[in-house]
Amino acid sequence: MIRDTMINTANGMIPTSSSSANAQSPGLKTYFKTPEGRYKLHYEKTHPSGLLHYAHGKTVTQVTLAHLKEKPAPSTPTSASSSFSASSGVRSAAARWLGSGNGSRALGFAGGNGGTKSVSGISRIGSLSALSSSNSMTNTNFDGKGTYLIFNVGDAIFISDLNSQDKDPIKSIHFSNSNPVCHAFDQDAKDGHDLLIGLNSGDVFSVSMRQQLQDVGKKLVGAQHYNKDCSVNNSRCTSIAWVPGGDGAFVVAHADGNMYVYEKNKDGSGDSSFSVIKDQTQFSVAHARYSKSNPIARWHVCQGSINSIAFSFDGAYIATVGRDGYLRVFDYSKEQLVCGGKSYYGALLCCAWSVDGKYVLTGGEDDLVQVWSMEDRKVVAWGEGHNSWVSGVAFDSYWSTPNSDGTGETVMYRFGSVGQDTQLLLWDLEMDEIVVPLRRGPPGGSPTYSTGSQSSHWDNVCPLGTLQSAPSIRDVPKISPLVAHRVHTEPLSGLIFTQESVLTVCREGHIKIWMRPSVAESQSSNSETVLSNSFKDKPLLSGKIGSSSYKQ
């Protein structure tokens, strides 16, 4: 699930810390080349320098991108929550930062988790309050506007102002008995609780992001507590997501293979007894026995840990990947398994949806990236290029496809992946040009290949609800990365594509913001040109990849 953000780097936003970036990351370049031009390291975010190193290894850093509006807007049944998390590689924001003549930064939001929508951002453009690290902790009149990075390191959650060059966070929240593991933000929350936090202990909290920023302390304030004292589940939280258009419903995945559906408007400590799981090897859904219970449902997905979950943009499907190496895609409302299949080796660690819902990316311990087709319900391509586990995948919804088949359908996709090999890889997936095996040849023989639309060359679509074993690698088209670049010194844990940048994060809690080639070009233009180029007379994403993007 991809949400995207735009940061204008004009008006002195380029930091003087390029040298310090190199000092922190010796031997790493501050740019990488693509056919469109150079992506340049703009600035970095990290935790306070005083944080002890040994605390890092207890959890892997995940990042959530949160945009706070001036005033909370009521959501509609078709609107989507905006949960931005680099941990699954599938969550980012759709916001735009524009420079104006006086150097202020203005913003208009467009996008949501479960459906991107055009928002009248121009009418809402307003100057953002500037928060410095020196006064933000005592600013009780904080109005909450802006876009923020939320990330966990050790026993703390940190919040950084994305519009600030300051490396240090403006807010820290510490947990006394457990470490935060995963988090999610709901752009369209009807009331104040828009941020979810899952802990290593299994505890889950929902809080108001704005309220946390207004408070000067280092503890959660105004929190709703779920799974208190492990009353529902005693295994660690692994992934958490708001249900798109779910009116405050959210899903928490655990290390024991169970997912729970909660409603934030219900008491977090309500009775929640479920029937005993009869067969640990089979998928099953159990509903709470009482109307006031929270969680309201338990999904037993697999044996072993669920490592990541991701909703499709329209909220119709939820994908899970797990320790057992299987991708599973469920029809969320029908609570039914649609399709899925196994990795070539080891666990799957991450998954992400294309905006149009046609493809699912997975990555894991086999060092490969797999592309799943929802139409064919099977793997249609696999990518080789990482030298270690793939820890994050995401489609770049703002990349502009250079060609089309004339029907308005997207025929090329850009996506990225990051791994424990410290590398960021960018991939182009052109479905009309990919070489596709027609069918398996005789034993010991070679498969037959053809170019063209893959759907016309595969055998019959896999039956609904089938989990497949891994196909022979020779029977699945191979793709190679367009770009491979070592971006951090530590293993990477996630990435987010934004309107004007790519964010990469390592497991030690360092975040880098890489600006797209078009940003450097627009910096030489005046604000009027930037405005006209940035806001088109069309929605950001209209069911098509790359309807708003940088130019080549």
Side-chain angles (χ1 to χ4, degrees):
M1 289 171 286
I2 305 167
R3 327 267 164 305
D4 296 80
T5 303
M6 187 176 195
I7 317 155
N8 183 25
T9 55
N11 305 311
M13 286 286 285
I14 290 292
T16 57
S17 60
S18 293
S19 58
S20 63
N22 277 330
Q24 186 179 7
S25 308
L28 297 184
K29 291 184 178 180
T30 56
Y31 66 88
F32 57 89
K33 296 179 181 179
T34 70
E36 299 84 31
R38 288 186 176 189
Y39 282 71
K40 297 180 180 178
L41 178 61
H42 182 37
Y43 52 83
E44 298 181 48
K45 298 286 188 181
T46 188
H47 49 76
S49 56
L51 199 66
L52 296 176
H53 182 79
Y54 68 79
H56 300 191
K58 295 180 180 179
T59 56
V60 172
T61 298
Q62 300 180 0
V63 172
T64 294
L65 195 60
H67 170 63
L68 286 176
K69 304 175 183 178
E70 292 188 40
K71 295 180 180 179
S75 65
T76 63
T78 56
S79 72
S81 61
S82 300
S83 178
F84 329 118
S85 171
S87 65
S88 56
V90 292
R91 301 172 179 86
S92 49
R96 297 182 156 192
W97 298 80
L98 300 172
S100 54
N102 61 8
S104 65
R105 255 73 68 188
L107 180 146
F109 179 81
N113 176 8
T116 47
K117 53 191 179 294
S118 180
V119 177
S120 54
I122 296 178
S123 65
R124 267 204 254 149
I125 285 180
S127 179
L128 293 177
S129 59
L131 294 177
S132 68
S133 57
S134 60
N135 64 13
S136 61
M137 294 298 289
T138 57
N139 185 9
T140 55
N141 294 320
F142 175 69
D143 61 6
K145 295 181 294 184
T147 302
Y148 301 90
L149 291 172
I150 303 160
F151 60 102
N152 60 291
V153 181
D155 66 351
I157 287 276
F158 297 102
I159 303 174
S160 282
D161 184 352
L162 188 61
N163 195 37
S164 166
Q165 296 177 48
D166 198 338
K167 281 189 175 183
D168 289 334
I170 60 174
K171 172 77 177 178
S172 61
I173 301 169
H174 292 264
F175 297 81
S176 56
N177 298 321
S178 185
N179 292 344
V181 174
C182 48
H183 25 85
F185 180 78
D186 181 2
Q187 169 65 41
D188 298 309
K190 283 187 174 180
D191 57 41
H193 280 217
D194 48 15
L195 177 63
L196 297 170
I197 301 170
L199 304 188
N200 195 62
S201 60
D203 294 80
V204 178
F205 295 95
S206 70
V207 296
S208 162
M209 173 77 171
R210 184 176 275 103
Q211 191 174 357
Q212 309 313 306
L213 288 168
Q214 289 172 341
D215 187 78
V216 297
K218 293 190 175 183
K219 299 294 182 183
L220 281 181
V221 291
Q224 174 79 291
H225 194 172
Y226 310 89
N227 195 26
K228 189 175 182 180
D229 301 322
C230 300
S231 60
V232 178
N233 191 299
N234 61 4
S235 67
R236 65 184 173 90
C237 298
T238 56
S239 191
I240 198 164
W242 292 100
V243 179
D247 196 21
F250 60 91
V251 176
V252 183
H254 286 266
D256 66 351
N258 288 307
M259 292 194 309
Y260 295 88
V261 182
Y262 289 85
E263 292 182 351
K264 73 173 182 181
N265 57 1
K266 286 187 176 182
D267 185 359
S269 58
D271 178 83
S272 52
S273 56
F274 293 97
S275 57
V276 176
I277 299 172
K278 295 179 180 178
D279 187 348
Q280 292 282 343
T281 65
Q282 296 297 313
F283 166 65
S284 64
V285 178
H287 295 270
R289 296 170 179 173
Y290 308 105
S291 59
K292 293 185 178 180
S293 296
N294 207 15
I296 61 173
R298 179 199 65 208
W299 293 38
H300 176 69
V301 175
C302 57
Q303 289 181 290
S305 176
I306 300 171
N307 290 329
S308 184
I309 62 175
F311 274 100
S312 61
F313 277 76
D314 59 6
Y317 300 101
I318 183 170
T320 71
V321 290
R323 171 70 255 173
D324 63 358
Y326 278 96
L327 162 73
R328 294 171 172 87
V329 179
F330 300 96
D331 184 310
Y332 180 71
S333 61
K334 293 181 180 178
E335 299 178 335
Q336 292 177 347
L337 177 67
V338 176
C339 63
K342 203 173 188 306
S343 65
Y344 288 106
Y345 170 81
L348 287 176
L349 304 174
C350 52
C351 57
W353 288 87
S354 62
V355 175
D356 57 15
K358 292 182 177 181
Y359 299 100
V360 182
L361 299 174
T362 63
E365 294 178 359
D366 56 10
D367 304 353
L368 302 175
V369 177
Q370 292 188 4
V371 184
W372 274 79
S373 165
M374 285 297 290
E375 179 185 1
D376 297 303
R377 297 201 279 271
K378 62 180 69 174
V379 177
V380 292
W382 61 278
E384 185 179 46
H386 283 286
N387 301 315
S388 188
W389 296 357
V390 179
S391 49
V393 289
F395 278 96
D396 183 353
S397 62
Y398 282 94
W399 180 75
S400 178
T401 177
N403 63 338
S404 175
D405 60 4
T407 64
E409 294 292 319
T410 300
V411 294
M412 183 182 283
Y413 299 79
R414 167 71 58 84
F415 65 88
S417 60
V418 293
Q420 295 196 13
D421 57 3
T422 73
Q423 289 197 108
L424 165 68
L425 270 57
L426 296 180
W427 313 74
D428 280 352
L429 180 71
E430 189 166 9
M431 298 312 298
D432 277 8
E433 295 297 326
I434 199 166
V435 176
V436 180
L438 285 171
R439 61 188 60 84
R440 290 196 68 160
S446 299
T448 309
Y449 294 90
S450 173
T451 58
S453 174
Q454 87 284 2
S455 60
S456 63
H457 295 297
W458 288 99
D459 294 332
N460 292 333
V461 173
C462 184
L464 195 68
T466 303
L467 285 180
Q468 305 171 62
S469 58
S472 170
I473 282 188
R474 66 175 193 162
D475 288 346
V476 180
K478 176 185 174 182
I479 56 176
S480 297
L482 179 76
V483 173
H485 182 68
R486 184 168 177 255
V487 289
H488 290 242
T489 56
E490 299 292 332
L492 298 174
S493 55
L495 79 161
I496 300 175
F497 286 103
T498 70
Q499 174 68 25
E500 283 200 351
S501 64
V502 182
L503 277 62
T504 55
V505 55
C506 76
R507 66 182 182 186
E508 295 290 316
H510 307 299
I511 304 162
K512 294 186 177 183
I513 294 91
W514 304 85
M515 307 311 291
R516 295 187 189 268
S518 61
V519 179
E521 299 165 8
S522 67
Q523 285 171 1
S524 61
S525 307
N526 58 36
S527 59
E528 183 178 348
T529 305
V530 173
L531 183 65
S532 64
N533 286 341
S534 299
F535 281 101
K536 304 292 185 182
D537 294 327
K538 57 184 177 182
L540 281 180
L541 295 169
S542 54
K544 174 185 175 184
I545 301 289
S547 57
S548 179
S549 62
Y550 60 89
K551 295 181 175 62
Q552 295 194 27

